[in-house]
Amino acid sequence: MDPITLRLPHTVQRPQELTSYGPTTRTTQPIVTGTSVVAFKYKDGIIMAADCLGSYGSLARFRNEKRLTQVGEKTLLGVSGDISDYQYLQHKLEDMITHEYDMDDGQSLGTKSVYKYLSNIMYGRRNKFDPLWNAYVVGGIDNGEKVLGFVDMYATTYSSDTIATGFGSHLAQPILRRRVEGRTEQITEEEALEILDECMRVLFYRDCRTFNKLRRAKVTAQGVEISEPYSLETNWDFAEDIVGYGA
Amino acid sequence: MFRNQYDNDASTWSPQGRIFQVEYASEAVKQGTAVVGLRSKDHVVLTAVKRSPNELASYMKKIIRIDDHMGIAVAGLTSDARVLSNYLRTEAMRSKMVYGRPLPIGRAVNAIGDKAQTNTQEYGRRPYGVGLLVIGFDDSGPHLYEFSPSGIVSEYYGYSIGARSQSARTNLERNFASFEDMSLKELIVQGLRSLRDTIQQGKQLDNMNTSIGFVGKDAKMTILDGEDTQEYLDLLNEGEAMDTE
């Protein structure tokens, strides 16, 4: 004889703890995304760049996203990946900075602390199998020391003189290897800006989720400075010679 | 029949505006042996006299390390001090894990201050029966704080709590202006000198009953006991010999 099976009426809520029921609530794919962030150390501090695009799949949906932000006094945060996860994280970081301010004892959170806190959040979320779908670059000056670190959705962390996320790690990183590594202390701000523009131009030419409106930012002993959006000079003459791809 | 109607718990005021349970707790601090704390521009030092319950027993621990940058000295109920030091150690570890930085001393002391205050306000609780001197070194330099059962937290250049601590405070008040530029060694000897004023008649500081703790710019929190204190006790006695010459 068949065992009696009990069926719940469809209006009865199933226990939430049983994750094998009900809709998936974790992020399974990023929705509105930002592409590469490029950053490196130079003589006076840290420099970083990212464009202003929030892509919706392949659609250039939001064309005025700010993907570089200041955290605390001397820390800069660059983000690629899901924009809404980034907005959530921004609120958390604001809470953290506000809490620190409320202590009112003249102490503040340095870049290393921001980086550590951020890494812990990312690691906590990935252990819940509900990661924040981002790759972050944290840069700043902590007690006179230049700090530049990376953390992504798997909570992989590393620090380096040069960092590029996403497509940038394929297209910009080789340029940074050649032009920056081993000589960070010799690079003036002028040269740093030129290197940054070269990286962003290559990315604009070859990464289809990028956009010719971008910001750059720097952290020096004076503090954080984020530029207004600007565009790069480009030259599409070569396009005439492209043959194939249905052209 | 009733001597005092208003001292049954910490949440009852007397008509004179006093909370007796809190005052009693503050008395408990004075039952413990004295501890002295003092600060220079680079270091903070604790000195303490230890007591043993009887001749066969060991001496009770007076100075507890919280972290590499922080320590406390205890006067009063040791068991309450252990509760507080456990809490401080947990908080210090949390700060390291979450933010990768040592817990700022002022915040640590205010955190236990808030715990103590809650105990004086909520029905069914009792105040801590212990006073602490908290020393530490953080981004804003060396610090010396006093924690008391009432929840009051104050910062000092030099201070003392515990039995006969008034004598040590008098000594500190006379000399505190010179602490600022002292070396660690001088500061420890000065700490012992103040501590000695609290010793009861017929007893003296020796390497069994003396405890020294310090932390500073290039020194992790260190506690000296037993033979390790002899060097400083000798310096103390030498200094005394010179004074009398």
Side-chain angles (χ1 to χ4, degrees):
Chain A
M1 209 168 85
D2 286 341
I4 300 165
T5 51
L6 187 78
R7 270 174 188 265
L8 292 170
H10 71 277
T11 49
V12 172
Q13 285 266 302
R14 287 173 171 121
Q16 278 223 297
E17 309 86 80
L18 298 178
T19 45
S20 46
Y21 295 102
T24 303
T25 51
R26 68 182 180 88
T27 312
T28 53
Q29 56 175 332
I31 307 298
V32 176
T33 58
T35 184
S36 323
V37 176
V38 175
F40 58 89
K41 293 183 191 174
Y42 73 110
K43 197 165 122 246
D44 307 328
I46 305 286
I47 199 156
M48 214 181 267
D51 68 27
C52 301
L53 183 63
S55 303
Y56 183 73
S58 59
L59 177 70
R61 179 67 182 80
F62 301 103
R63 280 148 289 160
N64 196 22
E65 288 296 327
K66 200 174 172 193
R67 298 198 290 124
L68 300 175
T69 38
Q70 183 172 354
V71 181
E73 283 164 38
K74 280 182 184 165
T75 305
L76 189 59
L77 179 70
V79 60
S80 53
D82 192 272
I83 297 293
S84 62
D85 279 354
Y86 165 58
Q87 288 169 348
Y88 162 84
L89 190 93
Q90 259 189 316
H91 288 299
K92 287 204 70 106
L93 291 176
E94 264 163 41
D95 288 351
M96 178 189 76
I97 295 297
T98 305
H99 182 75
E100 185 76 10
Y101 177 81
D102 289 347
M103 290 286 114
D104 196 25
D105 58 3
Q107 307 218 22
S108 59
L109 286 164
T111 305
K112 284 179 181 170
S113 296
V114 173
Y115 182 45
K116 179 100 188 195
Y117 179 74
L118 177 58
S119 307
N120 279 327
I121 288 179
M122 297 304 276
Y123 186 57
R125 289 295 294 258
R126 92 100 199 241
N127 279 347
K128 278 199 213 165
F129 278 71
D130 185 11
L132 296 179
W133 218 283
N134 299 111
Y136 291 101
V137 183
V138 182
I141 297 183
D142 195 325
N143 271 327
E145 185 192 344
K146 289 167 205 160
V147 179
L148 185 61
F150 170 94
V151 57
D152 68 8
M153 61 182 290
Y154 312 104
T156 304
T157 56
Y158 65 89
S159 296
S160 174
D161 288 352
T162 62
I163 286 176
T165 68
F167 243 105
S169 65
H170 301 99
L171 299 174
Q173 195 60 260
I175 301 172
L176 298 177
R177 292 253 188 279
R178 191 177 72 242
R179 299 199 58 184
V180 178
E181 285 187 4
R183 53 185 293 273
T184 49
E185 292 308 309
Q186 285 107 272
I187 298 176
T188 60
E189 185 174 328
E190 193 187 8
E191 189 185 355
L193 293 177
E194 196 262 310
I195 296 171
L196 211 55
D197 282 351
E198 184 187 340
C199 292
M200 297 312 282
R201 188 176 290 111
V202 169
L203 281 165
F204 179 53
Y205 280 141
R206 318 219 79 125
D207 175 3
C208 297
R209 301 289 170 268
T210 193
F211 191 50
N212 197 6
K213 178 177 167 190
L214 58 152
R215 286 174 197 267
R216 56 190 171 208
K218 62 176 179 178
V219 195
T220 60
Q222 277 70 255
V224 177
E225 221 176 283
I226 302 175
S227 79
E228 287 304 307
Y230 69 102
S231 293
L232 294 168
E233 290 282 320
T234 53
N235 181 354
W236 294 94
D237 292 349
F238 68 89
E240 296 289 324
D241 306 322
I242 295 177
V243 179
Y245 305 109
Chain B
M1 198 171 154
F2 293 111
R3 233 161 25 105
N4 191 341
Q5 286 179 272
Y6 303 106
D7 68 352
N8 282 311
D9 62 73
S11 52
T12 303
W13 290 93
S14 85
Q16 287 82 349
R18 298 162 63 179
I19 300 171
F20 283 105
Q21 279 298 326
V22 173
E23 293 183 19
Y24 296 160
S26 302
E27 287 302 312
V29 177
K30 296 176 190 159
Q31 310 275 333
T33 55
V35 294
V36 171
L38 66 170
R39 199 188 80 185
S40 74
K41 66 178 191 300
D42 291 330
H43 296 95
V44 227
V45 165
L46 290 171
T47 56
V49 229
K50 293 182 286 188
R51 187 153 53 191
S52 79
N54 65 64
E55 297 221 342
L56 296 173
S58 63
Y59 287 84
M60 286 244 271
K61 198 174 170 142
K62 292 285 280 183
I63 301 179
I64 302 169
R65 195 192 80 108
I66 302 298
D67 200 346
D68 280 344
H69 72 300
M70 179 160 50
I72 61 171
V74 178
L77 298 182
T78 311
S79 35
D80 279 5
R82 282 170 50 75
V83 171
L84 290 167
S85 69
N86 264 334
Y87 176 77
L88 284 174
R89 284 178 175 180
T90 311
E91 286 300 298
M93 192 168 75
R94 199 174 66 84
S95 180
K96 267 190 188 171
M97 283 189 69
V98 178
Y99 300 106
R101 70 161 176 194
L103 182 64
I105 312 304
R107 292 186 196 178
V109 191
N110 278 313
I112 54 171
D114 287 352
K115 275 169 79 75
Q117 198 282 332
T118 309
N119 285 348
T120 68
Q121 195 174 4
E122 288 180 7
Y123 182 77
R125 304 183 80 100
R126 67 166 178 84
Y128 291 113
V130 71
L132 306 175
L133 289 183
V134 182
I135 62 166
F137 188 88
D138 60 24
D139 286 348
S140 55
H143 296 282
L144 166 66
Y145 284 93
E146 180 213 6
F147 159 89
S148 61
S150 58
I152 295 173
V153 160
S154 328
E155 186 166 14
Y156 292 95
Y157 289 103
Y159 201 60
S160 175
I161 55 173
R164 289 176 297 279
S165 57
Q166 182 53 53
S167 323
R169 284 200 295 275
T170 308
N171 183 290
L172 290 168
E173 278 165 24
R174 260 205 309 273
N175 298 306
F176 84 98
S178 62
F179 295 170
E180 187 77 0
D181 295 315
M182 277 186 178
S183 69
L184 176 58
K185 213 168 226 178
E186 288 172 315
L187 207 61
I188 292 174
V189 175
Q190 177 58 241
L192 292 173
R193 194 169 292 142
S194 305
L195 186 70
R196 190 174 49 188
D197 293 354
T198 71
I199 304 289
Q200 67 189 94
Q201 206 90 57
K203 298 214 166 156
Q204 56 184 1
L205 289 176
D206 58 42
N207 65 23
M208 291 300 283
N209 67 10
T210 306
S211 198
I212 299 168
F214 61 84
V215 62
K217 199 155 112 189
D218 300 307
K220 285 182 180 176
M221 180 65 207
T222 310
I223 299 170
L224 303 177
D225 284 307
E227 288 297 320
D228 295 337
T229 62
Q230 193 58 53
E231 176 190 353
Y232 298 98
L233 290 167
D234 289 346
L235 282 170
L236 174 70
N237 295 326
E238 272 171 39
E240 216 50 37
M242 277 196 284
D243 288 347
T244 48
E245 268 168 28

